[in-house]
Amino acid sequence: MTAPLSVVLVTGLSGAGRTSTLKVLEDLGYEAVDNVPLGLMPALLAPRNAAGRIAVGVDPRTRGFATDALADTISQLEARADVDLRVVFLDCDDDVLIRRFTETRRRHPLATDRPIADGIAIERRMLGPVRELATAVLDTSSSNLAEFRENLISSLSLDAGRAMTVTVVSFAFRSGLPREADLVFDVRFLANPHYVPELRPRDGRDPEVGAFVAGDPGFAPFFDSLTGLIGPLLPRYAREGKSYLTVAIGCTGGKHRSVHVAERLAEWLKSAGTPVTLRHRDLPREGGGAPAI
């Protein structure tokens, strides 16, 4: 029996990284095509014409684009027995998108005669129904290319031999929730090292900061409850075919408590034999901020 055609349809907000995504997929052996008119999609993906794996980029600049038309195209592809379709939707914070367009001096496709923020708002409304159809929603606001590549591979199960990967991410509530988070836990109830002058400049990876956080009487019962909750969930998510799970741990500034708890949770997962990646979203990166995708 002939294997189904593997199709990854890449869409999402302009400036969120569609071109970079297609390049990553091309490196993984996909034939990458961008801005294919929706009317030509059936011919492109006809069994006699298509390669074994193909990635297609679609956004509002695509000729013949309409939200309903794209949704219909996705439904038609999902109904084909000879196609294994996955849809990735790229999301990003508005301020990051504005900065990217400003730095590159590119025009937003929906803001040729208006402020960039207006174009982003219009596009968000336009693509809302498509976002709901996505196999994976990836937030590129703070990811560097290496992190994004790992997220893409895991989220779309591009390596079927791999076990479900868990990503643990620490974050600051004042900077907003991570969009990719599946499970979110708030650790702002723990004693805050920010108010200890000698600990304030350090972060949750520091042993003394860790000892301070773990010394809170509420830490041990919370951490036992956290692992007791997550442990039984992992095999159930895996049985449902989920290849990528993101657990987000948040505190006020994303520097002390959330970082320590994320470190401890990642250690626990590794000791249990679970593939895990760890990311501290709001800690300063060595060499500066993450490059735009």
Side-chain angles (χ1 to χ4, degrees):
M1 183 177 177
T2 304
L5 172 65
S6 178
V7 178
V8 177
L9 193 151
V10 182
T11 188
L13 299 176
S14 299
R18 190 187 68 262
T19 300
S20 295
T21 304
L22 291 173
K23 287 180 179 178
V24 170
L25 291 168
E26 194 170 33
D27 290 342
L28 294 171
Y30 281 76
E31 296 285 346
V33 186
D34 198 9
N35 281 327
V36 177
L38 294 180
L40 298 180
M41 196 81 74
L44 173 68
L45 301 180
R48 65 182 182 278
N49 294 334
R53 295 195 290 180
I54 189 165
V56 183
V58 177
D59 77 351
R61 293 176 301 170
T62 300
R63 183 153 51 90
F65 179 89
T67 303
D68 292 344
L70 180 55
D72 288 344
T73 298
I74 292 171
S75 297
Q76 291 168 15
L77 292 173
E78 288 178 333
R80 283 175 52 177
D82 62 332
V83 169
D84 175 20
L85 175 68
R86 280 159 289 186
V87 180
V88 57
F89 186 97
L90 302 173
D91 207 339
C92 189
D93 290 339
D94 287 5
D95 59 339
V96 176
L97 291 175
I98 291 171
R99 187 182 72 241
R100 289 176 183 174
F101 277 101
T102 301
E103 290 176 350
T104 60
R105 299 185 180 181
R106 293 169 49 207
R107 288 185 178 273
H108 190 283
L110 300 181
T112 56
D113 58 352
R114 66 183 74 205
I116 296 173
D118 290 354
I120 293 171
I122 293 169
E123 193 171 41
R124 280 197 187 280
R125 291 195 297 271
M126 179 186 297
L127 294 177
V130 177
R131 191 182 194 274
E132 297 301 317
L133 300 175
T135 308
V137 177
L138 299 182
D139 184 359
T140 69
S141 302
S142 59
S143 298
N144 61 35
L145 192 55
E147 292 170 341
F148 176 75
R149 184 180 187 278
E150 179 69 19
N151 291 351
L152 180 68
I153 290 172
S154 300
S155 298
L156 298 183
S157 303
L158 299 181
D159 185 349
R162 290 168 32 142
M164 183 178 71
T165 296
V166 178
T167 292
V168 179
V169 56
S170 68
F171 71 96
F173 272 99
R174 67 187 180 195
S175 298
L177 296 176
R179 280 198 181 90
E180 70 274 23
D182 297 293
L183 302 172
V184 177
F185 297 93
D186 182 350
V187 297
R188 288 176 291 187
F189 65 91
L190 295 171
N192 192 350
H194 176 80
Y195 297 108
V196 180
E198 62 269 26
L199 298 181
R200 182 180 302 175
R202 312 179 199 177
D203 63 54
R205 297 169 295 187
D206 181 271
E208 291 187 32
V209 173
F212 181 90
V213 174
D216 186 308
F219 177 84
F222 162 74
F223 193 77
D224 288 343
S225 298
L226 177 64
T227 55
L229 171 66
I230 292 177
L233 291 179
L234 297 182
R236 298 186 67 90
Y237 280 125
R239 282 199 299 271
E240 290 298 316
K242 192 172 182 63
S243 61
Y244 190 68
L245 180 75
T246 298
V247 181
I249 310 292
C251 66
T252 305
K255 181 177 181 180
H256 298 113
R257 295 166 290 180
S258 62
V259 171
H260 177 69
V261 174
E263 292 274 340
R264 291 282 294 271
L265 180 59
E267 289 175 6
W268 180 83
L269 288 164
K270 288 178 183 177
S271 69
T274 300
V276 60
T277 59
L278 176 64
R279 181 163 64 92
H280 300 301
R281 189 190 73 178
D282 295 313
L283 285 185
R285 296 172 181 268
E286 294 182 5
I293 290 180

